[in-house]
Amino acid sequence: VGFKGSPLLWKLDNGAKSMGRVQSATLHILCQREREIIAFKPTPYWSVFVDYKEGFRAFYFNPKQAETPKNSDNNDDTKSAKDEKKPESSKVLSKVDADRLVQIAKTNPHQVIKVEGKTTSEKPPPPFITSSLQQAAGSRLKYNPKKTMELAQKLYEKGLITYMRTDSVSLSADFCASVRDWLQRKDPNNIPDRPPSHRSNKNAQEAHEAIRPTDINKPSAQLKVELSDEEFQLYLIIWLRSVASLCKSARLRKTTITTQSGEIYWQAKGSVVELAGYAKYWKNLGSDKILPEVKSGQQLNLEKAGAEEKVTQPPPRYSEPKLVQVMERKGIGRPSTYAPTVKTLKDRKYVSLTKGKLKPTELGLEVDDFLEKVLPDLLETQFTAQMEASLDEIAEGKQNWERYLTGWNRDYFQGAIANANDYLVKNGYANKSHNGSNSKKELELSDVRCPECDKLLSKIPSRSENLAVPYFLKCIHCKVKGKNLVMFYDKKKHDWVQPGQNIPTAEQFTDFKCPVCDAFLVEHEYIKDGQTKKMLRCSVADKSKRKHKDVAFFWSRERWWSKKFGELN
């Protein structure tokens, strides 16, 4: 997909370098969110509350708003833990209504009309797989996916954890027994009657068990000496998560108090951890909010009534760990590709990291917009996920790989690429330069003027390791002897010079191009049979590669010639 699709981007001549089956679908997720943010129009609203002398705060509660179904687009990935913990009133959309509610609260008596309490259980989280490790290391340790995997690789190579590229939550029987033995000695009240069961994702390949310590009893004092601080911190959360996954469920008591003043309802919510269970090791329940003991019908004493003006917020951008979570949930990529995919998007300048969040650049949005026009199916997560499922079936021997891939190419991809090329032709891209950085509109001007036409020379990036600077200068306005004038920087003269001006270096650049890679040829002097001779060879040629073996032009009878490539004009 990348091999056939990337050349389409090159014709845009905007610096875009690549697209790919997973890379482009992931970029599309980020660009969709960015467009939502750009289109978002903030709306002011008021949060109305009352404080009681009995020791708690209640918020305005509109039963009709509570019955409104939640927007299906508000997936877990759009919410932060902070937003979920914070109690909020039913929204009031005008200051007039907010003031009216505050006035009602101040002028009417308050009483409890309902007290609801229930005990709920929170199951232990499963042990880490690749994606959840990257998410936890991102939120708790502020490591990006690439750094997390590099540190995990070191821990694995040192024999401290199991293989870190996995999508299975299963644990070996021996490890489960060692954890129960450790709990029996250290925390016997946290041993469940039956080990908790955890279910892997339906698309999991489960080639390896979950990420866990190889030895639960390894002394932490010893590890602190052997490991760097960052390695130890990552090992510690792996250890804690592994132990937590085999502990008892946490038990919480949740309470809701509903009060009334006039015709207005108010509501307060709180929860208390009655049994920490697994949360003793993996703390994810948040701080407790204890509500006082009150009874239905009880009169309450108002201390304060007020309203806070707020503004609706756009959906947040994705952090790197959160994007990995979305990729996993949507079935895009595999454990081994999550971190490299995010890294590629950053390396290609399609996204940038802004305040810890991934923000598509103008180039990224432009690439996504173009691909949405010419290869829309490849951007759809469902399309990519379905292909992942087919590849899984191939891996399991349920489908013939040659038949599937040949059919996919014949029935979809060939036609899609052909249609994309037709689009480029119809929209005038067919004749544009394909080298991006060397197009006239992209070239950066230097402060050196052409000795022939006196116009500023353009900077041309170069791969050659023989140049004093990573570019040479070229005049795109005039030609000398049918060729564009070029100049190279001479370190000894501290100046720009043209080829053939006796540059005092071992190899002098010429304006001839290599017939193999199109780089500039350099002039090289050598002694043979007691005579000084000269030849041309490629400035960037890797001498170990056979394709450059015959790139050698010799000076004879006032001409450059090569046995394989003939004369240079």
Side-chain angles (χ1 to χ4, degrees):
V1 171
F3 181 76
K4 292 283 187 181
S6 296
L8 300 173
L9 295 179
W10 303 344
K11 295 179 182 180
L12 297 179
D13 206 21
N14 61 359
K17 293 182 176 64
S18 70
M19 58 86 65
R21 187 175 63 88
V22 176
Q23 174 194 143
S24 297
T26 305
L27 175 63
H28 190 57
I29 292 172
L30 296 172
C31 289
Q32 280 183 311
R33 176 56 56 86
E34 192 64 22
R35 292 186 183 103
E36 290 176 17
I37 294 171
I38 293 171
F40 181 81
K41 294 182 179 179
T43 304
Y45 71 96
W46 281 258
S47 174
V48 186
F49 63 89
V50 289
D51 287 336
Y52 294 117
K53 292 181 179 178
E54 282 73 13
F56 68 100
R57 171 173 287 191
F59 291 84
Y60 167 61
F61 173 65
N62 185 338
K64 291 181 180 179
Q65 284 189 24
E67 292 170 5
T68 303
K70 293 182 179 179
N71 189 329
S72 60
D73 290 337
N74 290 336
N75 296 321
D76 290 343
D77 57 87
T78 65
K79 300 176 183 177
S80 68
K82 183 179 178 182
D83 292 334
E84 292 192 21
K85 292 175 190 174
K86 184 178 180 181
E88 184 60 273
S89 82
S90 298
K91 286 182 181 177
V92 179
L93 300 180
S94 73
K95 188 175 187 305
V96 173
D97 283 344
D99 290 342
R100 179 180 63 83
L101 293 170
V102 170
Q103 190 60 31
I104 291 174
K106 289 180 177 178
T107 56
N108 286 276
H110 292 250
Q111 69 171 358
V112 177
I113 62 169
K114 188 192 295 184
V115 179
E116 295 176 295
K118 62 178 181 178
T119 300
T120 62
S121 293
E122 292 284 343
K123 286 184 62 178
F128 282 137
I129 59 177
T130 303
S131 59
S132 57
L133 175 64
Q134 292 176 9
Q135 293 156 38
S139 61
R140 299 191 177 213
L141 304 177
K142 308 305 178 188
Y143 298 164
N144 62 37
K146 179 176 180 290
K147 181 174 183 176
T148 299
M149 296 310 290
E150 287 174 348
L151 293 171
Q153 178 76 38
K154 292 178 181 178
L155 294 175
Y156 172 69
E157 290 173 355
K158 292 175 181 179
L160 296 174
I161 63 170
T162 53
Y163 193 58
M164 64 285 162
R165 293 185 179 90
T166 179
D167 52 14
S168 170
V169 296
S170 63
L171 294 170
S172 71
D174 287 345
F175 179 76
C176 293
S178 68
V179 172
R180 288 179 72 86
D181 180 65
W182 186 90
L183 289 171
Q184 187 66 53
R185 289 181 281 112
K186 305 286 186 178
D187 191 8
N189 294 327
N190 216 339
I191 302 176
D193 296 333
R194 184 180 300 173
S197 61
H198 303 289
R199 200 177 289 177
S200 295
N201 185 293
K202 64 178 181 179
N203 295 322
Q205 294 176 325
E206 301 191 279
H208 306 275
E209 64 176 304
I211 305 169
R212 60 162 177 85
T214 53
D215 181 3
I216 197 71
N217 296 302
K218 197 88 170 177
S220 59
Q222 178 185 340
L223 289 170
K224 281 186 176 181
V225 175
E226 296 176 354
L227 302 176
S228 69
D229 184 58
E230 290 180 335
E231 290 170 346
F232 179 77
Q233 292 302 322
L234 187 66
Y235 178 86
L236 182 60
I237 67 169
I238 293 172
W239 189 96
L240 291 169
R241 181 70 168 243
S242 300
V243 172
S245 71
L246 296 171
C247 289
K248 282 185 176 179
S249 297
R251 190 168 67 244
L252 295 85
R253 187 176 79 251
K254 296 184 177 181
T255 305
T256 301
I257 300 174
T258 305
T259 70
Q260 184 177 6
S261 59
E263 298 179 353
I264 306 303
Y265 296 99
W266 310 87
Q267 200 168 81
K269 293 183 178 181
S271 64
V272 177
V273 177
E274 293 185 334
L275 176 68
Y278 77 84
K280 185 174 181 180
Y281 303 97
W282 192 253
K283 302 182 186 302
N284 64 344
L285 298 180
S287 57
D288 301 340
K289 183 184 177 185
I290 302 174
L291 295 176
E293 293 285 342
V294 294
K295 296 179 181 179
S296 180
Q298 179 178 335
Q299 296 295 314
L300 298 172
N301 298 294
L302 182 68
E303 183 176 309
K304 179 184 178 182
E308 295 178 351
E309 184 178 3
K310 300 187 176 184
V311 178
T312 55
Q313 299 295 315
R317 295 188 179 99
Y318 295 104
S319 64
E320 292 181 76
K322 187 61 70 174
L323 178 62
V324 168
Q325 181 186 33
V326 175
M327 290 171 68
E328 181 200 18
R329 192 175 66 242
K330 293 181 178 291
I332 301 174
R334 283 286 176 246
S336 60
T337 63
Y338 295 144
T341 298
V342 177
K343 181 178 182 297
T344 297
L345 292 177
K346 292 193 293 184
D347 290 346
R348 294 285 184 263
K349 310 298 183 189
Y350 293 164
V351 300
S352 61
L353 203 58
T354 305
K355 296 181 179 178
K357 299 295 179 70
L358 292 167
K359 179 182 179 182
T361 61
E362 287 297 322
L363 176 60
L365 289 166
E366 190 175 336
V367 167
D368 182 69
D369 184 62
F370 171 73
L371 291 176
E372 199 165 19
K373 292 184 177 75
V374 300
L375 294 170
D377 291 337
L378 285 176
L379 302 186
E380 294 300 324
T381 55
Q382 186 177 3
F383 183 90
T384 303
Q386 284 176 345
M387 190 173 191
E388 296 281 11
S390 296
L391 297 177
D392 286 343
E393 290 183 355
I394 290 170
E396 294 165 6
K398 297 178 181 178
Q399 190 168 169
N400 179 274
W401 72 268
E402 290 174 303
R403 188 180 302 115
Y404 171 75
L405 293 177
T406 303
W408 187 86
N409 185 56
R410 180 191 64 239
D411 300 337
Y412 165 70
F413 197 50
Q414 280 184 340
I417 291 293
N419 291 336
N421 278 306
D422 289 343
Y423 175 89
L424 289 168
V425 172
K426 290 177 182 178
N427 289 273
Y429 290 103
N431 297 320
K432 287 197 174 185
S433 168
H434 295 185
N435 59 5
S437 61
N438 289 351
S439 66
K440 290 184 181 180
K441 69 176 184 179
E442 292 289 333
L443 294 178
E444 180 183 351
L445 293 177
S446 70
D447 56 1
V448 179
R449 294 191 176 275
C450 174
E452 297 292 329
C453 67
D454 202 40
K455 292 184 178 178
L456 293 175
L457 298 175
S458 299
K459 294 181 178 180
I460 310 296
S462 174
R463 296 173 299 165
S464 174
E465 297 179 357
N466 296 324
L467 294 182
V469 291
Y471 59 88
F472 59 92
L473 303 183
K474 178 179 180 180
C475 181
I476 61 174
H477 304 287
C478 71
K479 293 187 176 182
V480 179
K481 295 180 181 181
K483 298 182 180 293
N484 290 98
L485 181 142
V486 294
M487 301 185 78
F488 300 92
Y489 190 76
D490 184 350
K491 288 191 293 186
K492 293 186 177 180
K493 289 186 176 182
H494 301 290
D495 198 6
W496 291 91
V497 297
Q498 292 177 249
Q501 291 183 334
N502 296 321
I503 306 173
T505 58
E507 294 189 323
Q508 302 177 30
F509 281 87
T510 71
D511 56 356
F512 293 112
K513 295 291 189 70
C514 173
V516 173
C517 68
D518 212 37
F520 282 94
L521 297 177
V522 292
E523 184 176 323
H524 173 70
E525 290 187 351
Y526 63 100
I527 297 176
K528 184 177 181 181
D529 299 329
Q531 295 182 352
T532 300
K533 297 180 179 291
K534 55 185 179 180
M535 63 181 289
L536 299 182
R537 58 191 184 189
C538 181
S539 59
V540 297
D542 183 348
K543 306 302 185 296
S544 66
K545 294 184 178 178
R546 294 187 61 83
K547 67 180 182 179
H548 276 100
K549 183 179 179 181
D550 296 322
V551 180
F553 293 84
F554 301 93
W555 182 252
S556 176
R557 298 180 182 179
E558 302 299 314
R559 65 189 174 93
W560 292 106
W561 66 275
S562 166
K563 183 177 180 181
K564 181 174 182 178
F565 300 103
E567 292 186 14
L568 280 178
N569 297 317

